[in-house]
Amino acid sequence: MSLVGTRPPTLDEWKKYALHHRARMAIKPGITGMWQVSGRSDITDFEEVVRLDTQYIENWTIGLDIKILCKTVLTVLHNDGAM
């Protein structure tokens, strides 16, 4: 597991994935990622989660990881997007 990446799916979720959903697993799963810093519980559409993860994979840079890590700290401190 990585610090930044996609959220790892459960076995039940994986079985329900369409082919384009599986593209999310092209990288190591992470503790935090685009979905977590983009609203978490406010994003209920799985296709939006897949879009965010795909965007992260296609545009990955070390700078993006640092940005996500900083946003994660702010999100946790402010309880943004928490249920």
Side-chain angles (χ1 to χ4, degrees):
M1 185 167 263
S2 170
L3 282 177
V4 182
T6 59
R7 184 186 63 82
T10 64
L11 186 57
D12 288 346
E13 288 173 336
W14 179 257
K15 290 177 182 178
K16 296 176 186 174
Y17 275 13
L19 188 58
H20 73 280
H21 296 149
R22 293 182 181 206
R24 299 177 66 228
M25 303 317 300
I27 60 167
K28 281 185 183 180
I31 296 169
T32 189
M34 291 290 285
W35 172 70
Q36 288 84 349
V37 299
S38 299
R40 283 188 308 181
S41 59
D42 295 333
I43 301 173
T44 57
D45 180 15
F46 182 65
E47 293 300 327
E48 177 66 10
V49 174
V50 171
R51 188 190 68 72
L52 287 167
D53 286 342
T54 304
Q55 177 184 355
Y56 170 75
I57 292 167
E58 291 173 353
N59 297 297
W60 179 87
T61 64
I62 191 72
L64 180 57
D65 277 3
I66 292 168
K67 181 178 177 181
I68 290 171
L69 287 169
C70 291
K71 285 179 108 177
T72 298
V73 170
L74 293 173
T75 298
V76 170
L77 291 175
H78 294 119
N79 284 331
D80 292 336
M83 294 182 115

